[in-house]
Amino acid sequence: MNERLVSLRYRYWPDHLVGEILSKRWTETAIPAIVLVIVAAAFSEAIPGFLSAAGLADTARQACEIGFCVFGMSLVIIVGGIDLSIGSIFALTDFCALFCLDVLGWPVWAVIPATLLAGALLGAVNGILIGYFRLRAFITTLITLIVYRAAYDLLIFGHSNQIAAAFPDIPIWNFIGGGTIFGVPSIVLVYAAIAIFGHVFLTRLRPGWHVVAIGGSRRSAFNSGIPVRRTIAQCYVASGFLTALGALFFAARLGTVGGDIGVGLEVTVLTAAILGGISLGGGKGSVAKALIGTLIVLLITNGLTTLSAPGGVNRMVLASILLIAAMIDIRWVKNRNRIISKVYVSPTYHAMPPIPATDPDSGTPFALNDRLRDVTEIGVGRIEAPEDIILDGDDNLYAGSRHGDIIRFFPPDYERMEVYAHIGGQPLGMAFDRNRSLYVCVGGMGLYRITRNRKVEKATDETNRSLRSVNDDSRLRLADDLDIADDGRIFFSEATVRYEMHEWPVDGLEARGNGRIICYDPNTETTRTVLRNLKFPNGVCITSDRQSILFAETWGCTVKRYWFAGPKIGRVETVLDNLPGYPDNINLASDGNYWLALVGMRCPALDLAWRMPGFRRRMAKRLPVDEWLFPNINTGCVVKFDEQGRILESLWDLGGVNHPMITSMREHRGHLYLGGILNNRIGRYRLAHADPDFVHYDRRWGITA
Amino acid sequence: MRDRNDGPSYGRRVTAAVWFRPSQQNIVFALFAVLFVLFSLFLHGFLTTDNMLTLLQNVAVLGILGLGMAVVVIGRGIDISLVASLAVPPGLVLQMVQNGHSLPYALLTAFALSLAFGLVNGWLIAYAEVPSLFATLATGLFLAGLGQVALFKLDVVQWSPGMNALTVIGQGTIAGLPVPILMFGLTAIAVMLFLRLTRIGTYIYAIGDNPNAARITGIPTRPAIVLQYVLAALVGAFAGLVLAASVNSMPTRIYNSTLIYDVILVVVLGGIGLSGGRGGVLNVVIGTLLIGTMLNAMTIMDVSYSGQNLIKGLVLLVAILADSFVNPRNEETAQQGDI
């Protein structure tokens, strides 16, 4: 009864989503976003009409003017610097715009580029000093803050009266300052355009990546050939340009050159940037963060002004909110990864029937024997991690290796070897197609093809994104084994979508159906997921009717059959159930039956633990990884079964002398070749009563030697 | 006469090299010396005893603040709230005495306020791990707001007769030297002794040089960081008292000025890098002298306030540019997060 409740609870409550949602990059921005919502709600409660359309339009204009400066500051912070001179640049470019318009009488189309150019030049001074002359950003922009401010004060001393006296009534200028398009203030549109571009720039474009890389580690960026000095200089130019853009709209809206314009703006802007979560020191930040930070600061200051709080209260509230938000945010960013590592592993309920007997005298087909003790060894110590092996009609032996190569051994003695092709990721299951191209599942990379002239080509590395998953499951994380249908379609398994290849035991700890069967069609070059939620699908093999595949579910300890064509299309039936071990690759035998590798044998402890998800979750939270339960893969065997689900024989190496660990086997001309992902050798076992001319893929494609 | 090629001669060359080692400190000092000589030769009324004393008196408060800032900057932090420390607790003393409290009671309250403020700063930075630039920005804002709302009746708190016992630290002379200069000197000696002779002073250098290494070594980095900010707050409050005593009031709106930027300039220009672990009291003195000389000369030349700022800024720019040419930084030697 109790166990029944447990099974229901784990069946319907999606534990794994918590970790997946937290692993999303955007959750870094969660705290600033929540603060923004709270601030907005609090003020709209306290001030009637605070969030009304008119109020928002006015706030929006201010927000965007400051927002441009925050973008500039954020960019500079992300590249690892700081720009304190923003307030003074703002004042100077505001003056520049109004001076050109009111005193020099320039037309608006000339004023705009002149102002922006002025901003870019003022930024360029910072950029050259900090980027090329390698001055410290803080002290340099502090000095330019003073210099620019002094220049501004000197300039308005002579011209403020002229500017104050002028009332330019130019429609386009008024439009910049107060116009709307479909009710949206003009500045908001420009701001949105810049924000979208900024987002694309930082996340999708090469120069944006350079900026983030330099901020993250200037030395590494320099050593990897990024033009560090130029990029840094350009960031300051951009900062000046963006500030000038804000000042331009400000000039058009208010048209004044008061003495206090831009005083302390750098503090507001810096506050907004940091509050949004852009960390000082560089390398981290986004447009969304800058936007949220701007809105928080502006809502607070405007809200307090509207409440007509005394200046001192205003300051105290602002300071308190800033500090609290910063403290929570710092805690959050610091602990987020720790939380993720604790909650990401989410075991579920998985009950298995009792393990079938394998004792030597049990009389079951699994009875232990020593038949594999006499295998001969190929390439001992010269190959690492041959997960799968395959042989062609010329008796060449191909095996994957941990170093990302396909190794070829030459007959007859398989002493000589060469690197047949370099792929770069760990090769797993392999199969020849009709043209003798070798298809390989590569862990972490996807499905690859090696043509007969040894050219490595990517077949596919992504499938359709499922709508309901939180993790982006379109990328192939762990393509495992494959087989090829008559029409050329390739069915391959992806063991898990939640973990990387080296984390496969953790997937076993979860025992959730995280894997899937995927179909790649080389004719249309499309990839589609055909079966989901499988418990570590592993070996795949086409059946005799050519309308279905057999696939093994490692943690399910089952072999199932899936029809992709014919009258039973789409159906899944269980062929083998409750295996005594964890099934791995499946391959055809010469007598029409199938070889199945059991990579390891089940043990009662893990079976029991699988029925206790709470126990496994506590283990994952409280113990270091190397003390977790681990599925046994020390001893395995090879079994032969038929399509009706009968076990015909089993081959063991009882003492674990030569081949204790088997992930794959391939029958070839009277021998069985054995591979293991943790082995440093390939085994060769002589089969009695086997077809001496059997070549797996020659028979598959009807090629006769 | 020894041979040119033997040891001591070589040793002499090394000594010479050390003497002319073009560190930022020496460059700024050289700049100060050049300016001083130029002004002395060409600027009428510069090199007089009276003017020299005025010069020093004008920068005494800035220098004291610089010392407080130096302690924090050496420990790889920055204290933007120093001007709030300067304005609010001393303003509170003046206000309380004005309201009829006794001077010691008022001083004690202000001391407690400064102490609490420094502790909050230190806690935020050392334990809550808020970046110092941001934490002190916010706490400074908070303290200034608190003063405005709860402590002061007017923006300028006037000196009242009850304060007269303290007049001595801001006005008058001892042995011919104006007292503010002496106060600067005393603070400088105290800070120097603290940094040079106490164990915790050494800790602060270690923390500034490499906080993680210091922590691994077993240095109680967090308490040491808290102490830095407490010291800065107390030194700031002391500077405020000197300022109030010398101008007979506490203009609390000083918080809105750009004084903090001048303080940072004094410290950094003198050669205390913002990356921490380098420099000492001498650097602050040199920085203060350079700024003081420039401001004084420009006042004599009757340059407007903005003009002074402009020239000051340009000279500073030249100073750090020269430093960058003599001591170039590159991608290999730059410290990450060193802005």
Side-chain angles (χ1 to χ4, degrees):
Chain A
M1 178 63 197
N2 198 8
E3 194 163 328
R4 178 95 191 116
L5 285 178
V6 169
S7 93
L8 285 173
R9 174 237 180 280
Y10 281 96
R11 181 153 182 187
Y12 292 109
W13 185 256
D15 296 86
H16 59 293
L17 293 186
V18 182
E20 290 184 4
I21 288 171
L22 282 179
S23 338
K24 291 279 175 185
R25 277 285 293 278
W26 50 258
T27 54
E28 271 183 17
T29 322
I31 299 294
I34 292 169
V35 170
L36 176 62
V37 170
I38 291 175
V39 166
F43 278 119
S44 59
E45 189 69 25
I47 309 163
F50 184 69
L51 292 181
S52 69
L56 276 183
D58 203 43
T59 311
R61 286 184 197 281
Q62 254 184 310
C64 295
E65 283 156 15
I66 296 176
F68 286 124
C69 304
V70 178
F71 279 165
M73 178 71 94
S74 303
L75 187 66
V76 170
I77 293 179
I78 292 171
V79 85
I82 195 166
D83 191 354
L84 297 175
S85 66
I86 274 184
S88 302
I89 294 181
F90 190 85
L92 266 181
T93 46
D94 173 51
F95 174 82
C96 172
L98 293 172
F99 181 77
C100 291
L101 191 80
D102 296 344
V103 180
L104 298 181
W106 287 9
V108 173
W109 60 261
V111 169
I112 294 172
T115 308
L116 297 179
L117 184 68
L121 285 177
L122 292 171
V125 173
N126 286 331
I128 290 167
L129 289 173
I130 297 163
Y132 287 102
F133 290 116
R134 307 283 307 114
L135 301 187
R136 284 166 210 275
F138 192 91
I139 193 74
T140 309
T141 54
L142 188 56
I143 292 173
T144 50
L145 157 82
I146 293 169
V147 171
Y148 291 167
R149 170 62 55 183
Y152 174 74
D153 286 342
L154 290 175
L155 284 170
I156 59 166
F157 185 70
H159 298 287
S160 63
N161 287 339
Q162 284 168 284
I163 291 171
F167 288 100
D169 192 19
I170 308 162
I172 184 80
W173 187 245
N174 294 340
F175 174 77
I176 295 172
T180 59
I181 298 172
F182 300 121
V184 181
S186 53
I187 185 171
V188 174
L189 296 173
V190 180
Y191 185 80
I194 299 258
I196 291 168
F197 172 76
H199 179 73
V200 172
F201 175 79
L202 275 181
T203 57
R204 301 287 187 279
L205 297 188
R206 192 180 300 254
W209 288 13
H210 286 178
V211 168
V212 180
I214 292 170
S217 171
R218 166 183 242 135
R219 189 179 306 175
S220 309
F222 176 75
N223 288 342
S224 53
I226 295 173
V228 171
R229 297 184 173 199
R230 196 178 71 214
T231 310
I232 291 177
Q234 283 165 347
C235 283
Y236 285 92
V237 175
S239 168
F241 177 87
L242 287 165
T243 307
L245 194 58
L248 188 67
F249 282 103
F250 179 81
R253 185 165 64 96
L254 295 179
T256 55
V257 284
D260 58 347
I261 284 174
V263 173
L265 180 68
E266 68 278 356
V267 176
T268 313
V269 168
L270 186 64
T271 305
I274 297 180
L275 209 53
I278 295 168
S279 54
L280 280 174
K284 270 189 182 163
S286 69
V287 168
K289 288 177 178 178
L291 179 63
I292 289 175
T294 311
L295 286 177
I296 295 176
V297 168
L298 218 77
L299 283 183
I300 294 175
T301 46
N302 277 10
L304 290 172
T305 315
T306 319
L307 283 174
S308 59
V313 174
N314 205 327
R315 282 179 165 173
M316 284 167 72
V317 172
L318 184 61
S320 308
I321 295 177
L322 296 188
L323 273 178
I324 292 167
M327 273 162 61
I328 297 174
D329 194 39
I330 284 161
R331 293 278 127 197
W332 170 243
V333 170
K334 197 178 166 189
N335 289 315
R336 181 172 151 266
N337 284 325
R338 205 176 298 169
I339 296 171
I340 291 171
S341 71
K342 279 206 188 299
V343 301
Y344 191 81
V345 178
S346 60
T348 188
Y349 179 80
H350 179 39
M352 298 284 290
I355 306 173
T358 56
D359 307 304
D361 51 0
S362 61
T364 64
F366 297 114
L368 288 163
N369 56 56
D370 250 344
R371 293 166 62 184
L372 287 187
R373 173 153 297 178
D374 305 324
V375 300
T376 49
E377 295 155 349
I378 296 170
V380 178
R382 294 195 291 158
I383 185 153
E384 274 187 64
E387 202 269 350
D388 196 10
I389 58 268
I390 195 165
L391 294 102
D392 63 14
D394 304 325
D395 297 343
N396 293 310
L397 170 65
Y398 304 83
S401 89
R402 189 173 65 82
H403 310 100
D405 300 322
I406 302 285
I407 304 286
R408 173 156 70 170
F409 289 90
F410 294 100
D413 54 1
Y414 299 112
E415 277 299 310
R416 207 157 57 83
M417 62 179 261
E418 65 166 3
V419 174
Y420 178 66
H422 179 76
I423 299 178
Q426 162 87 57
L428 299 171
M430 296 186 280
F432 283 111
D433 74 356
R434 217 183 278 275
N435 307 318
R436 283 210 172 168
S437 287
L438 183 62
Y439 275 89
V440 187
C441 284
V442 185
M445 289 175 73
L447 182 66
Y448 278 69
R449 169 176 55 223
I450 299 160
T451 59
R452 289 189 68 178
N453 44 11
R454 295 198 187 184
K455 198 159 153 250
V456 177
E457 293 170 349
K458 183 182 83 182
T460 180
D461 63 355
E462 58 186 329
T463 177
N464 54 316
R465 169 94 159 83
S466 57
L467 292 175
R468 282 168 55 214
S469 76
V470 177
N471 269 2
D472 183 353
D473 59 358
S474 58
R475 280 275 160 185
L476 301 182
R477 281 185 135 166
L478 183 42
D480 202 331
D481 193 20
L482 73 158
D483 209 345
I484 305 172
D486 283 355
D487 57 0
R489 278 189 295 169
I490 296 168
F491 289 88
F492 62 101
S493 57
E494 188 185 22
T496 171
V497 295
R498 270 169 64 78
Y499 294 97
E500 304 301 331
M501 191 172 89
H502 66 277
E503 296 172 309
W504 63 266
V506 186
D507 192 76
L509 202 64
E510 273 195 0
R512 177 183 289 101
N514 292 326
R516 50 191 177 173
I517 300 283
I518 299 168
C519 171
Y520 165 70
D521 190 340
N523 305 315
T524 56
E525 300 206 326
T526 52
T527 312
R528 303 225 25 109
T529 307
V530 293
L531 285 178
R532 287 180 207 286
N533 302 333
L534 306 174
K535 293 189 169 79
F536 213 83
N538 207 322
V540 173
C541 190
I542 297 280
T543 55
S544 57
D545 62 2
R546 308 291 161 91
Q547 291 180 343
S548 58
I549 53 167
L550 292 167
F551 65 89
E553 276 188 272
T554 300
W555 308 133
C557 302
T558 56
V559 172
K560 290 180 179 165
R561 186 170 180 177
Y562 163 71
W563 277 267
F564 56 83
K568 293 172 95 174
I569 184 166
R571 280 178 58 178
V572 177
E573 280 177 10
T574 302
V575 178
L576 289 175
D577 204 3
N578 194 27
L579 287 164
Y582 309 116
D584 207 308
N585 285 6
I586 307 172
N587 283 318
L588 189 65
S590 56
D591 55 7
N593 295 313
Y594 301 91
W595 294 108
L596 169 69
L598 296 185
V599 60
M601 303 315 290
R602 281 161 61 189
C603 80
L606 187 62
D607 276 17
L608 182 62
W610 270 348
R611 287 163 57 187
M612 300 162 71
F615 159 73
R616 280 177 286 143
R617 197 176 61 239
R618 284 195 298 282
M619 176 177 72
K621 274 187 185 168
R622 296 180 193 171
L623 293 182
V625 181
D626 53 359
E627 290 178 18
W628 290 359
L629 270 176
F630 201 90
N632 158 46
I633 52 167
N634 290 331
T635 301
C637 66
V638 176
V639 299
K640 190 192 264 185
F641 68 98
D642 63 13
E643 275 172 24
Q644 284 68 48
R646 285 187 298 252
I647 303 289
L648 304 174
E649 61 175 319
S650 57
L651 309 174
W652 294 81
D653 180 5
L654 189 55
V657 178
N658 276 336
H659 267 274
M661 200 266 184
I662 298 160
T663 51
S664 181
M665 72 272 106
R666 184 91 54 184
E667 186 178 339
H668 183 79
R669 298 202 204 277
H671 286 88
L672 195 64
Y673 293 82
L674 306 163
I677 188 143
L678 297 183
N679 289 355
N680 65 346
R681 65 195 68 185
I682 294 163
R684 186 173 190 231
Y685 173 70
R686 179 159 186 84
L687 290 168
H689 320 299
D691 178 358
D693 295 323
F694 175 74
V695 177
H696 182 172
Y697 279 96
D698 280 0
R699 176 175 302 180
R700 175 76 184 85
W701 302 120
I703 303 164
T704 47
Chain B
M1 187 83 187
R2 285 163 191 266
D3 190 300
R4 275 180 167 276
N5 291 329
D6 69 7
S9 169
Y10 178 72
R12 208 156 54 224
R13 278 215 299 276
V14 169
T15 317
V18 169
W19 263 105
F20 295 110
R21 190 167 48 113
S23 66
Q24 184 175 336
Q25 174 190 331
N26 292 350
I27 290 171
V28 171
F29 191 75
L31 191 64
F32 159 69
V34 168
L35 284 178
F36 194 88
V37 170
L38 284 179
F39 290 148
S40 306
L41 290 178
F42 300 110
L43 195 58
H44 184 66
F46 178 78
L47 192 64
T48 61
T49 316
D50 277 354
N51 187 49
M52 283 300 106
L53 292 179
T54 317
L55 184 161
L56 288 173
Q57 194 165 358
N58 286 342
V59 294
V61 170
L62 187 62
I64 297 175
L65 282 177
L67 290 167
M69 180 70 92
V71 173
V72 175
V73 172
I74 289 171
R76 204 188 273 191
I78 197 162
D79 190 352
I80 304 287
S81 65
L82 209 50
V83 179
S85 306
L86 165 107
V88 176
L92 180 65
V93 175
L94 267 65
Q95 186 72 54
M96 284 178 75
V97 172
Q98 207 177 66
N99 294 353
H101 296 283
S102 75
L103 181 59
Y105 178 65
L107 280 175
L108 203 64
T109 315
F111 175 77
L113 179 64
S114 288
L115 191 68
F117 183 65
L119 285 173
V120 169
N121 266 344
W123 180 81
L124 282 172
I125 293 156
Y127 291 91
E129 294 175 10
V130 181
S132 55
L133 182 64
F134 188 74
T136 54
L137 195 72
T139 54
L141 204 62
F142 186 88
L143 189 63
L146 183 74
Q148 244 177 324
V149 172
L151 305 182
F152 311 131
K153 293 201 181 82
L154 296 169
D155 276 348
V156 178
V157 190
Q158 290 301 330
W159 194 263
S160 49
M163 293 290 300
N164 284 345
L166 266 186
T167 312
V168 64
I169 66 165
Q171 293 175 10
T173 58
I174 296 174
L177 277 178
V179 178
I181 303 175
L182 282 178
M183 291 300 145
F184 177 39
L186 283 178
T187 321
I189 291 168
V191 172
M192 185 176 74
L193 292 179
F194 168 74
L195 287 176
R196 284 274 181 88
L197 298 184
T198 64
R199 179 174 300 182
I200 201 132
T202 316
Y203 286 173
I204 288 175
Y205 277 95
I207 293 167
D209 202 39
N210 188 338
N212 292 328
R215 189 163 188 181
I216 293 165
T217 320
I219 291 174
T221 49
R222 286 180 159 169
I225 291 174
V226 173
L227 183 71
Q228 289 169 25
Y229 289 91
V230 170
L231 281 179
L234 292 177
V235 171
F238 180 67
L241 284 176
V242 174
L243 174 71
S246 57
V247 299
N248 265 340
S249 65
M250 173 45 81
T252 58
R253 288 182 70 88
I254 196 170
Y255 180 76
N256 297 332
S257 74
T258 55
L259 180 62
I260 191 64
Y261 296 140
D262 285 344
V263 176
I264 296 172
L265 278 179
V266 161
V267 171
V268 177
L269 202 64
I272 301 179
L274 283 170
S275 52
R278 303 279 182 279
V281 168
L282 190 61
N283 300 82
V284 181
V285 175
I286 290 172
T288 314
L289 284 178
L290 177 67
I291 299 270
T293 309
M294 283 165 49
L295 293 181
N296 181 272
M298 286 190 287
T299 311
I300 295 175
M301 289 187 282
D302 199 21
V303 179
S304 73
Y305 178 69
S306 303
Q308 286 193 14
N309 275 339
L310 191 68
I311 295 167
K312 185 172 71 181
L314 291 175
V315 172
L316 300 180
L317 209 52
V318 170
I320 61 168
L321 255 178
D323 177 49
S324 88
F325 278 108
V326 180
N327 298 313
R329 299 158 75 227
N330 61 31
E331 279 73 14
E332 288 297 326
T333 58
Q335 274 178 333
Q336 196 61 33
D338 170 19
I339 53 174

